[in-house]
Amino acid sequence: AARGTITDATGVVLANSIQTYDIAVNQVNIRAYVHRDDDGKEVGRGPAEAARQLAPLLGMNEAELGGMMLGDSTYEYIKRNVDAVTYREIRKLDIYGIEWESVFEREYPNGNVAAPVIGTVNAEGQGSSGMEAPLCLAARRRLSSPRTAVTLS
């Protein structure tokens, strides 16, 4: 879930949540993928063709990406925190065996400014230090909403 925005006393955003996407492969289903052109002619198939199409979008090496698609797992991450534009391009490809999930990534627009005070968020999206930790605890106790804006003064 999205966490609330943290701003300073003047309204400058110190921490914010942005929606990203984790891209995964079903290694079993990708074997059956067939890429056809607009005329229905087969262009390529399987993990190699999927990797050829996805590598430029994901900024990954085609051979390494193809290797990640081999195996028997039904859900294997191939790239995390993909931006919305790239996600939409991947969806347009309609590759059988490629899956995704929406996640929220914590963004600190001003870098390390006030980092010890703001704190950090762990991989599960829970506050692990600084203000992020008590805010998470307060949200769990229903003392505040995780979408409540917090202002530092």
Side-chain angles (χ1 to χ4, degrees):
R3 295 179 61 80
T5 299
I6 299 175
T7 62
D8 70 8
T10 64
V12 174
V13 175
L14 301 175
N16 194 24
S17 290
I18 57 170
Q19 187 173 20
T20 63
Y21 299 86
D22 289 346
I23 308 300
V25 62
N26 180 320
Q27 296 171 332
V28 175
N29 289 347
I30 199 78
R31 295 176 203 150
Y33 171 60
V34 178
H35 178 203
R36 298 187 185 280
D37 65 16
D38 293 336
D39 297 325
K41 181 181 174 188
E42 185 177 313
V43 176
R45 60 176 47 234
E49 177 60 16
R52 186 190 69 75
Q53 290 179 273
L54 290 171
L57 293 173
L58 296 174
M60 297 175 72
N61 175 282
E62 185 178 324
E64 289 177 17
L65 181 56
M68 294 172 73
M69 294 184 182
L70 300 175
D72 296 316
S73 174
T74 57
Y75 201 84
E76 186 72 31
Y77 290 108
I78 55 177
K79 183 109 183 206
R80 291 180 178 259
N81 299 318
V82 172
D83 64 75
V85 173
T86 303
Y87 159 75
R88 284 191 290 274
E89 292 298 314
I90 292 168
R91 291 281 311 260
K92 284 183 201 174
L93 295 174
D94 195 28
I95 299 174
Y96 180 68
I98 296 298
E99 302 174 8
W100 51 85
E101 62 184 272
S102 173
V103 294
F104 287 93
E105 176 74 6
R106 201 62 166 159
E107 176 185 54
Y108 302 94
N110 295 308
N112 292 332
V113 174
V117 175
I118 296 169
T120 58
V121 175
N122 65 22
E124 289 77 38
Q126 298 171 341
S128 56
S129 68
M131 285 184 63
E132 296 281 16
L135 290 174
C136 191
L137 179 60
R140 283 196 303 264
R141 290 183 179 164
R142 297 178 184 253
L143 296 176
S144 77
S145 166
R147 290 194 174 108
T148 299
V150 174
T151 303
L152 298 176
S153 51

